[in-house]
Amino acid sequence: MERVPVGLTVLLAVAVAVLGVAAVLLGGADDSPGLQGIGALLVLGAVAVGVRAVRRAR
């Protein structure tokens, strides 16, 4: 199985993190704790995937 390039993985992680930040902001505007929680999980997951990809590339 071929590995996905690190740059693409980091780019996708950044895109998911931006989506998570948007979910947190929209959840705060609508007073929706569930949407804020999902957004926070998206951001944390994206950071974990991005860090893992960079560390594995070394």
Side-chain angles (χ1 to χ4, degrees):
M1 183 186 246
E2 196 172 319
R3 278 191 166 179
V4 178
V6 177
L8 180 61
T9 304
V10 171
L11 180 66
L12 288 174
V14 168
V16 171
V18 168
L19 182 65
V21 168
V24 169
L25 293 176
L26 289 174
D30 192 31
D31 198 24
S32 172
L35 184 58
Q36 289 177 330
I38 291 171
L41 288 176
L42 281 173
V43 171
L44 290 174
V47 169
V49 167
V51 168
R52 181 175 183 222
V54 169
R55 290 186 69 184
R56 289 184 89 182
R58 289 184 180 190

